Amino acid sequence: MPQLEVHLSVDAESEPTVYHVDGDLKRPGEAIQAAKELATEDGHEGAELEEVKLAETA
C-alpha cells in the first residue's frame, strides 16, 4: 500500500499538520481516520481534513 500524506488542520494552527500513513488514494477513509487518531495521540483536538495526496518518494 502506498504512503499518503494526510494534511490536517489542528488546534486552529495556521499551517496544517502532515501525517504519513499507508492507504489507498482512491479510498482514503482509513488513512484519514488513522491520521486523525495519530493527531489525537499527539494531543491535538478537533482535527479537520485539509488534503490527502501521495507522499513524495525520495
Side-chain angles (χ1 to χ4, degrees), residues 1-56:
M1 213 174 279
Q3 278 273 306
L4 300 179
E5 287 184 3
V6 180
H7 298 242
L8 299 175
S9 174
V10 294
D11 303 329
E13 293 179 9
S14 60
E15 292 294 318
T17 300
V18 179
Y19 290 94
H20 291 87
V21 295
D22 291 330
D24 181 353
L25 190 57
K26 292 182 181 179
R27 293 188 180 105
E30 290 181 20
I32 293 167
Q33 186 59 39
K36 286 184 175 184
E37 289 172 6
L38 289 171
T40 299
E41 289 175 13
D42 287 345
H44 299 296
E45 294 182 14
E48 296 294 326
L49 178 65
E50 289 214 357
E51 179 180 19
V52 177
K53 62 183 183 178
L54 284 174
E56 295 181 19

